[in-house]
Amino acid sequence: MTPDTTTDVAILALAVTGILIAFTVIGESLRMRLPQGQTNPVVEAFNMRVHTWWGLAILLTLAILAGRIGIILLFAFASFAALREFLTFARKRRADHLSLALACFVILPLQYLFVGLDRTALFTVFIPVYAFLLLPIVSALRGDPTGFVGRVAETQWGLMICVFCISHVPALLTYDMPDGSDRSILLIVFLAMVIQLGDVAEYYAGRKFGKRRVAKELSPKTVEGMACGVLTAALIGAVLSWVTPFGALGAAAMAALASLTGMLGSLVFAAIKRDKGVKDWSHLIPGQGGLLDQLDSVIFAAPVFYHVTVWVFG
């Protein structure tokens, strides 16, 4: 990284640290106000989320300090862990074992290799075209037609959300900044901050004054909460516009788009979990579920954010 980019990363790291310290103090203050021996589920959920953010922020900071390779490896590992969680609940038979092995140990590494080599034409079509054609062929050659469409579709869907979508976060590194700098790395921090803080605003606003449920059978999300979350993300985006090539209004619009897309994506994941009859994807993060539970908003927002960035601001 250039000295200017390093300085901007340091400023953002200090800002994130300050926000997390403030959230930690707020959470502990709310806990101390409760009568001795009593707990509040909302307060405990907030504190657990803040603890998770500390871990994620440290990991992302270390990856940024390691440079391009560090970021790509971090998200490749995240994709592997997320895909493993998803496939745990996917329908599969012995005939699918080779397809699953190819998905985890061939298709996933190749996708991130194409991202690392800046092969845009490959990483944008490799999974939705070539992997989608390959995996059904491999399973069909095993000669087991039982539940074939459902089995193949769930494996393909897992690749799409866990590998294809997540890979668009490090793919932001391939974006050519208008000034020719290497500041595209800051777009990853921008995306993560507006989504996470927008989600927090949506969560607490929805429980404070939300009335109209978006999807009653799936999630407690409300129209009022989502509107507050999107507005919060837009304001944060405008404040962070200096790290983007979008300008203040453009950054606010991009933040709002990412936040809204992420919230709608979390509804999709809620529907999948209801269908599978599970509350959390795994117990990887104590009290917060699995990696997919933490990345559900980012998964849907990342490809939209990436492509709008390239198409509109490229």
Side-chain angles (χ1 to χ4, degrees):
M1 291 186 291
T2 62
D4 289 342
T5 302
T6 302
T7 300
D8 290 338
V9 168
I11 292 172
L12 278 176
L14 289 174
V16 170
T17 301
I19 292 172
L20 290 176
I21 290 174
F23 281 167
T24 301
V25 172
I26 291 171
E28 293 302 323
S29 299
L30 292 173
R31 179 182 285 169
M32 291 174 63
R33 288 184 180 182
L34 297 173
Q36 189 173 6
Q38 293 187 12
T39 60
N40 185 311
V42 176
V43 174
E44 292 304 314
F46 177 78
N47 285 327
M48 288 301 300
R49 179 169 289 194
V50 172
H51 294 162
T52 301
W53 284 347
W54 274 109
L56 295 176
I58 291 171
L59 284 175
L60 184 57
T61 301
L62 292 175
I64 290 174
L65 292 175
R68 183 188 185 95
I69 294 178
I71 293 174
I72 292 174
L73 289 177
L74 173 65
F75 284 96
F77 173 79
S79 281
F80 181 82
L83 184 60
R84 184 176 179 276
E85 288 179 352
F86 186 90
L87 293 178
T88 299
F89 298 101
R91 286 174 286 179
K92 46 192 175 292
R93 291 170 65 85
R94 184 182 296 274
D96 301 315
H97 289 180
L98 180 56
S99 295
L100 297 177
L102 288 172
C104 292
F105 303 112
V106 177
I107 294 173
L108 188 156
L110 283 176
Q111 175 73 4
Y112 279 91
L113 177 63
F114 296 148
V115 170
L117 295 176
D118 196 4
R119 304 297 186 187
T120 305
L122 273 174
F123 80 72
T124 53
V125 300
F126 175 59
I127 287 177
V129 177
Y130 299 108
F132 267 43
L133 294 175
L134 172 65
L135 295 184
I137 293 173
V138 173
S139 291
L141 288 173
R142 308 288 288 185
D144 184 356
T146 305
F148 182 79
V149 174
R151 288 158 34 210
V152 170
E154 289 194 3
T155 302
Q156 291 172 328
W157 182 239
L159 276 174
M160 279 296 293
I161 61 176
C162 300
V163 183
F164 181 76
C165 290
I166 293 178
S167 71
H168 280 75
V169 179
L172 289 167
L173 295 172
T174 67
Y175 172 71
D176 294 323
M177 297 291 284
D179 59 1
S181 68
D182 60 352
R183 290 166 56 85
S184 58
I185 197 171
L186 300 177
L187 293 177
I188 296 176
V189 182
F190 176 86
L191 177 63
M193 289 185 68
V194 298
I195 290 177
Q196 293 297 327
L197 294 177
D199 280 353
V200 169
E202 179 274 321
Y203 180 84
Y204 290 100
R207 281 153 181 76
K208 186 70 174 178
F209 54 81
K211 295 181 179 179
R212 291 172 292 176
R213 292 281 186 91
V214 177
K216 289 184 178 180
E217 301 300 323
L218 297 181
S219 169
K221 288 185 185 298
T222 63
V223 174
E224 296 82 3
M226 288 182 65
C228 183
V230 171
L231 179 60
T232 300
L235 292 174
I236 294 169
V239 171
L240 294 176
S241 61
W242 59 277
V243 307
T244 75
F246 310 141
L249 290 179
M254 290 292 285
L257 175 64
S259 179
L260 178 60
T261 308
M263 291 176 193
L264 295 175
S266 68
L267 285 177
V268 174
F269 277 94
I272 297 173
K273 287 193 290 186
R274 286 295 180 90
D275 178 54
K276 297 297 182 182
V278 297
K279 182 179 182 294
D280 297 316
W281 287 102
S282 75
H283 302 290
L284 178 66
I285 304 173
Q288 291 291 301
L291 198 61
L292 279 175
D293 295 295
Q294 305 303 314
L295 296 179
D296 54 2
S297 296
V298 175
I299 284 171
F300 269 67
V304 174
F305 184 86
Y306 169 83
H307 287 291
V308 174
T309 298
V310 172
W311 293 340
V312 178
F313 299 98

